[in-house]
Amino acid sequence: RGRGRGRRGSRVAMDRGPLRNEDIDLDEVRVIDEDKEIVGVMSSQEALEIAEEAGLDLVLMSPEAKPPLCKIMNYSKFKYEQEKKQREVRKRAAATRIEVKELKMRYNIDTHDYGVRLRAATKFLDGGDRVKVICQFRGRENDFRQLGLDMFMRFCDDVGEGTGTLDGNPTMEGTRMVMMISPTKEKVANQVSKKQERQTRSKAQRGEGEASGDGDEEGEFSED
């Protein structure tokens, strides 16, 4: 028997970006420059010659346009700026993301454990996160659901309106009583501001480190 070849996984098409330079082969394209000024309508070969003379790239921006639109630009710089914008968008999204922290309690929780849960909830809410409080009932404990509800209401009062607010009424999920508490708008805004400040400081520190490294290299070269 001949040797069997192993099964190959399906290939995933790589996103190589828009067509550029020699990959563009069109009889007619509309060309604009880096300042979005119209260069004219011509063949892609003519446009490529203009781009090469300027030390730039020819990039197909709108293949569906009539005629297709090409732009003369520094593609490496363009790609870097696009990736930079995407990173900033992700950072802003992370700064505004609200997490849900979970706390478990029993309807007959003792004073010490209750205080621990209360301090934890306050810390989470001060940090801009939501808090999900769960009270589990087992067997005959279901007869004491009202005690669990009373405990939840007391817990909300102890958290305080200045720290968090109850999202609707507590609900039953099977044998679990669940309550959601959200931070006040002021807490969320403060936390977002703090995250953005930390990101700004971190970015500035990285910039200082890079500048310091460049200075050291210059010193080494000057000594040589």
Side-chain angles (χ1 to χ4, degrees):
R1 295 185 303 177
R3 293 184 179 179
R5 295 183 179 179
R7 295 178 61 185
R8 296 182 180 179
S10 58
R11 294 183 178 180
V12 178
M14 294 180 62
D15 182 8
R16 300 182 183 278
L19 291 178
R20 303 182 296 280
N21 302 323
E22 292 84 357
D23 293 333
I24 306 172
D25 185 13
L26 297 170
D27 294 332
E28 188 177 73
V29 294
R30 187 182 303 277
V31 184
I32 59 175
D33 61 18
E34 287 188 296
D35 298 323
K36 298 183 180 180
E37 295 291 333
I38 297 176
V39 177
V41 177
M42 63 195 74
S43 70
S44 60
Q45 183 58 42
E46 291 176 292
L48 179 57
E49 291 174 0
I50 295 174
E52 288 178 342
E53 289 177 2
L56 299 171
D57 302 293
L58 182 68
V59 183
L60 182 60
M61 303 299 291
S62 301
E64 303 301 326
K66 296 186 183 298
L69 178 66
C70 288
K71 185 175 183 179
I72 295 175
M73 67 167 77
N74 183 331
Y75 182 73
S76 296
K77 181 180 178 181
F78 169 77
K79 186 176 180 181
Y80 171 78
E81 292 294 335
Q82 290 295 105
E83 292 174 349
K84 184 178 179 181
K85 289 179 181 178
Q86 291 173 0
R87 288 195 297 270
E88 292 298 324
V89 169
R90 289 195 293 269
K91 285 181 180 179
R92 288 195 292 270
T96 57
R97 183 171 58 245
I98 298 177
E99 296 183 6
V100 177
K101 304 294 186 179
E102 194 172 284
L103 295 175
K104 294 182 179 180
M105 305 169 64
R106 301 300 299 277
Y107 75 94
N108 57 351
I109 189 171
D110 61 44
T111 303
H112 175 267
D113 289 343
Y114 179 89
V116 171
R117 304 296 191 283
L118 181 60
R119 287 191 294 274
T122 302
K123 178 181 177 181
F124 294 146
L125 293 166
D126 283 341
D129 295 321
R130 299 176 72 198
V131 175
K132 181 178 183 178
V133 187
I134 299 172
C135 183
Q136 179 74 51
F137 297 94
R138 297 185 178 87
R140 294 183 178 180
E141 290 180 353
N142 283 281
D143 295 336
F144 302 103
R145 290 184 179 182
Q146 185 59 47
L147 292 179
L149 182 59
D150 293 342
M151 176 193 64
F152 273 6
M153 295 300 99
R154 177 163 61 94
F155 192 81
C156 282
D157 290 340
D158 291 341
V159 166
E161 293 182 357
T163 301
T165 56
L166 179 63
D167 290 353
N169 295 319
T171 59
M172 290 299 302
E173 296 180 359
T175 59
R176 303 191 314 169
M177 184 176 291
V178 178
M179 173 176 67
M180 296 295 299
I181 304 176
S182 291
T184 60
K185 292 182 180 180
E186 291 78 8
K187 298 290 184 182
V188 174
N190 289 339
Q191 186 61 15
V192 169
S193 177
K194 288 179 181 178
K195 286 183 179 179
Q196 291 175 339
E197 287 176 3
R198 287 197 296 269
Q199 290 174 355
T200 301
R201 286 198 301 269
S202 177
K203 187 175 181 180
Q205 290 171 356
R206 286 198 301 270
E208 290 174 359
E210 291 174 359
S212 175
D214 293 341
D216 292 341
E217 290 178 1
E218 291 176 1
E220 292 175 2
F221 286 126
S222 63
E223 289 176 2
D224 291 340

